[in-house]
């Protein structure tokens, strides 16, 4: 609407100096949303290159810088934080759990926080299963050898 009727909206805003209709506020909010989406798109392209080059620490640092530079808050901050999960592999489960806590803390009642809570539960379960598996099946190649001989 804002793009298609921009001339009409500009006329309405010019005629409504006090912005009683809220047209200026709505247009400004739309412009700000569009601008941040374009910045997220640009960030995504930059992060894609860092990910491809396996520069995972730089990837995470770039996301942190973006959050600070753009003064992100609320759901937008949560979205940016969640991007960092792309470079947190199995070796960074603790970091992933801390990151999810941070996402939840930003805006605990948001949909993004609910997703983070579910992801956190899943990661905890996965961590417990990995730990249990390690205890039940210690990795000792010497133990595997006799079993192989008995099967033949």
């Amino acid at each position: 609407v804002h793009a298609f009727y921009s001339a009409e909206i500009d006329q309405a805003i010019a005629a409504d100096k006090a912005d009683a209709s809220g047209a200026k506020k709505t247009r400004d909010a739309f412009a700000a949303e569009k601008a941040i989406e374009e910045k997220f798109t640009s960030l995504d392209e930059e992060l894609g290159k860092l990910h491809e080059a396996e520069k995972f620490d730089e990837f995470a640092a770039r996301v942190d810088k973006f959050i600070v530079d753009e003064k992100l808050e609320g759901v937008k901050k949560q979205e940016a934080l969640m991007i960092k999960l792309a470079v947190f592999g199995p070796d960074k489960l603790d970091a992933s759990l801390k990151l999810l806590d941070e996402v939840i803390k930003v805006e605990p009642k948001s949909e993004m926080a609910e997703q983070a809570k579910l992801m956190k539960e899943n990661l905890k379960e996965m961590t417990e299963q990995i730990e249990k598996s390690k205890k039940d099946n210690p990795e000792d190649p010497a133990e595997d050898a006799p079993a192989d001989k008995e099967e033949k």
Side-chain angles (χ1 to χ4, degrees):
V1 172
H2 290 276
F4 190 74
Y5 292 106
S6 64
E8 289 85 350
I9 292 171
D10 288 342
Q11 289 172 354
I13 291 170
D16 183 11
K17 300 290 185 205
D19 197 27
S21 67
K24 181 179 183 324
K25 182 178 178 183
T26 302
R27 184 193 62 188
D28 292 349
F30 175 78
E33 179 67 24
K34 186 176 179 190
I36 195 67
E37 289 305 320
E38 288 173 0
K39 289 178 181 181
F40 263 99
T41 299
S42 177
L43 175 69
D44 190 46
E45 291 170 8
E46 188 178 339
L47 295 177
K49 292 173 185 172
L50 290 171
H51 194 278
E52 193 174 302
E54 297 184 10
K55 295 181 178 181
F56 302 134
D57 289 339
E58 289 178 37
F59 181 108
R62 180 61 187 103
V63 172
D64 290 337
K65 184 178 181 328
F66 182 78
I67 291 169
V68 171
D69 290 352
E70 299 303 324
K71 299 175 181 71
L72 297 182
E73 296 177 344
V75 175
K76 290 296 178 193
K77 183 174 182 178
Q78 288 176 312
E79 287 176 21
L81 288 169
M82 291 290 276
I83 293 169
K84 290 169 55 172
L85 285 176
V87 295
F88 286 4
D91 60 323
K92 292 193 175 187
L93 285 175
D94 287 340
S96 296
L97 291 171
K98 286 178 185 174
L99 176 67
L100 292 169
D101 282 338
E102 189 177 348
V103 169
I104 294 164
K105 190 172 125 181
V106 170
E107 200 166 309
K109 297 192 185 293
S110 71
E111 187 176 318
M112 187 68 71
E114 294 302 317
Q115 290 177 10
K117 289 174 189 174
L118 288 173
M119 291 175 78
K120 186 176 173 184
E121 286 176 30
N122 291 338
L123 279 176
K124 282 184 176 180
E125 287 176 21
M126 194 168 67
T127 303
E128 290 169 6
Q129 289 175 354
I130 290 169
E131 292 301 317
K132 185 179 184 293
S133 177
K134 285 180 182 178
K135 287 178 185 176
D136 293 346
N137 303 312
E139 294 181 29
D140 187 0
E143 290 181 18
D144 292 342
D148 289 343
K149 289 180 183 175
E150 290 175 6
E151 291 178 15
K152 290 181 182 178

